[in-house]
């Protein structure tokens, strides 16, 4: 069982996970793309970008790192964004899902290469 104090300590520790400027831009590109996609009526908000930022930090911590990699963002972007987006009615009629749209957005955005990161891992 986790005490409230331990939970708060974890929240503070997550905020110390480093996010490179390239990863920050990558994250913001995803949010921005969600706002201009042809299938989306309402895309990611500023709160969604903060949620994606913090969740990416948490994923890095869970993976035992003190820095966020683009793969962390990719891993959490669906759960963070899909329920926040509102699809256009015509897109819903064509059976397009938020998950499909997010996967396409992420696939179209160039993944940043961080210093010391092998290109084969991207």
């Amino acid at each position: 069982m986790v005490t409230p104090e331990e939970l708060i300590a974890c929240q503070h520790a997550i905020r110390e996970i480093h996010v490179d400027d390239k990863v920050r831009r990558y994250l913001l590109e995803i949010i921005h793309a969600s706002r201009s996609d042809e299938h989306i009526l309402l895309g990611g908000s500023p709160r969604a970008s903060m949620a994606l930022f913090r969740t990416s930090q948490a994923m890095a911590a869970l993976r035992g790192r003190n820095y966020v990699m683009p793969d962390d963002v990719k891993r959490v972007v669906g759960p963070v964004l899909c329920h926040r987006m509102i699809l256009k009615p015509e897109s819903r009629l064509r059976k397009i899902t938020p998950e499909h749209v997010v996967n396409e957005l992420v696939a179209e955005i160039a993944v940043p290469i961080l210093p010391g990161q092998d290109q084969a891992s991207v």
Side-chain angles (χ1 to χ4, degrees), residues 36-122:
S36 59
D37 188 84
E38 65 180 321
H39 300 293
I40 301 174
L41 185 62
L42 185 62
S45 67
R47 281 181 52 198
S49 63
M50 283 306 303
L52 185 56
F53 186 88
R54 293 285 182 229
T55 308
S56 298
Q57 287 177 302
M59 180 57 66
L62 287 171
R63 291 179 164 182
R65 281 185 270 102
N66 63 353
Y67 59 93
V68 175
M69 294 182 63
D71 282 348
D72 299 321
V73 177
K74 287 167 133 181
R75 187 168 183 125
V76 299
V77 69
V80 170
L81 276 187
C82 288
H83 71 279
R84 288 179 159 90
M85 298 186 325
I86 298 175
L87 294 178
K88 291 181 179 177
E90 58 270 21
S91 296
R92 288 195 322 258
L93 287 172
R94 292 191 317 206
K95 308 286 187 214
I96 294 173
T97 64
E99 292 81 4
H100 173 78
V101 175
V102 167
N103 289 338
E104 288 210 347
L105 291 176
V106 171
E108 292 174 5
I109 297 173
V111 178
I113 305 295
L114 301 178
Q117 181 181 357
D118 182 10
Q119 284 193 359
S121 67
V122 176

